[in-house]
Amino acid sequence: MRENSWPMDFILYNTLLNMCVDLGLEEEAEMLFGYMKESENCKPDSWSYTAMLDIYGSGRNVDKAMKLLEEMSEVGVELNVMDCTCLIQCLGKARRVDDMVRVFGVAVGRGIKPDDRLCGCLLSVVALCENGDDEVKVIACLEQANPKLIALIKLLEEEKVSFETVQDEFKCVISETAVEARRPFCNCLIDIYRNRGHHAKAHELLYLGTLYGLYPGLHNKTEAEWCLDVQSLFVGAAQTALEEWMGTLYKIVQHQEELPKLFSAQTGDGTHRFSQGLANSFASYVKKLTAPFRQSEEKAGWFVATREDLVSWVESRVPSAATT
């Protein structure tokens, strides 16, 4: 377009930048951003900077993200809640918790009100924390942003709390959360409790998420095939869903109920360079469980098993008469 002297404006530049973000094309985004800086009439605006922070955040390019933050201050572009979310995502994934807390403090100090997407990002950082000190720091930020979410986390940590109490609190939090943030909230909570070794809590949360419609396409059935679709789940939630499904299939085979010819699990093909982790983690977990699925040679991100594979797997786990 530039070589052909086609007219360019803010809308076109920013549209192209966001396309680069969606596809994970960092170099191309930097080239477009550079063109905007060179132009006389299309200097980068807040949308342009947000797009660049988003792509750096997804790619964990902390140094470039922080440099861009400084540049925004120099040219007078104000930080907004989306910028803050991108920075927190970037710093959190890089395990730079102190810097993340500092960015959060600056944002709140400038009057930015954390929204549900930012809270979800903080929650994802909690799931990533590998030591208690870092977790306490992130929890403190999250408590400032969303006290009710922290109340739910504390409730889940209680050993003697009833499932009904957890359900009521979960429903309250989810009902007050923006629709697009509800599933990420649940995904993060599942990841947190799996990481802490509380797998029963993770299964409860998956059940509640399913009950309240957060995973509408998780299970798909036809006469010929039953499919588990975990594309919208995070790693821990996908592992929990696989465990749940395998347990259900085990019981169905034992009860000699009718089965389809084919079983499949779908993680997505991971063509976006920032979204390959789920398929790889799922493949590793399938192997760990010795589940009867194998990666499809025809479809990337698909794991398949025949009815015979599944029945053989169940029979191999049924104790023989000699050992009972």
Side-chain angles (χ1 to χ4, degrees), residues 135-156:
E135 185 174 306
V136 168
K137 294 172 186 176
V138 184
I139 288 288
C141 295
L142 193 52
E143 189 157 23
Q144 189 176 353
N146 193 329
K148 288 188 176 181
L149 186 55
I150 292 300
L152 174 60
I153 291 174
K154 291 179 178 178
L155 183 68
L156 286 163

Side-chain angles (χ1 to χ4, degrees), residues 264-312:
S264 62
Q266 184 181 6
T267 63
D269 58 14
T271 51
H272 188 308
R273 79 180 199 190
F274 298 140
S275 63
Q276 296 171 355
L278 178 59
N280 294 336
S281 296
F282 194 84
S284 297
Y285 203 64
V286 165
K287 188 175 295 186
K288 181 178 178 181
L289 292 180
T290 62
F293 291 92
R294 63 185 182 280
Q295 287 186 276
S296 172
E297 297 179 358
E298 300 174 355
K299 296 180 181 179
W302 282 80
F303 299 78
V304 295
T306 64
R307 178 169 51 204
E308 291 73 22
D309 292 334
L310 183 67
V311 171
S312 176

Side-chain angles (χ1 to χ4, degrees), residues 70-240:
E70 293 177 7
E71 182 180 310
M72 290 172 67
S73 179
E74 292 170 359
V75 299
V77 176
E78 292 188 8
L79 190 70
N80 59 41
V81 68
M82 186 60 191
D83 298 332
C84 184
T85 301
C86 294
L87 285 165
I88 285 174
Q89 177 191 39
C90 185
L91 293 165
K93 287 181 176 179
R95 308 298 197 274
R96 287 174 53 170
V97 172
D98 289 336
D99 287 332
M100 189 219 75
V101 172
R102 187 159 51 251
V103 167
F104 179 81
V106 168
V108 172
R110 293 183 183 178
I112 293 175
K113 184 179 180 181
D115 61 7
D116 288 334
R117 183 167 179 176
L118 192 152
C119 291
C121 196
L122 285 169
L123 196 60
S124 71
V125 178
V126 175
L128 292 172
C129 287
E130 297 176 346
N131 66 70
D133 290 341
D134 283 345
E135 185 174 306
V136 168
K137 294 172 186 176
V138 184
I139 288 288
C141 295
L142 193 52
E143 189 157 23
Q144 189 176 353
N146 193 329
K148 288 188 176 181
L149 186 55
I150 292 300
L152 174 60
I153 291 174
K154 291 179 178 178
L155 183 68
L156 286 163
E157 291 172 351
E158 296 180 15
E159 293 184 4
K160 296 183 179 180
V161 65
S162 69
F163 175 75
E164 290 73 18
T165 301
V166 171
Q167 181 176 356
D168 290 343
E169 191 66 25
F170 181 89
K171 182 179 180 181
C172 179
V173 169
I174 291 300
S175 64
E176 295 181 7
T177 300
V179 173
E180 65 274 11
R182 292 175 181 177
R183 186 165 57 218
F185 272 25
C186 192
N187 282 337
C188 288
L189 288 168
I190 292 171
D191 278 7
I192 288 169
Y193 286 95
R194 282 193 72 92
N195 293 345
R196 293 178 178 179
H198 302 312
H199 286 208
K201 293 287 187 185
H203 281 270
E204 285 183 7
L205 287 162
L206 179 65
Y207 170 77
L208 289 172
T210 304
L211 180 66
Y212 293 113
L214 306 187
Y215 304 109
L218 186 58
H219 296 282
N220 299 290
K221 289 184 177 183
T222 65
E223 288 186 8
E225 180 179 356
W226 290 358
C227 178
L228 177 72
D229 187 344
V230 298
Q231 292 182 91
S232 65
L233 277 65
F234 296 171
V235 170
Q239 292 174 350
T240 304

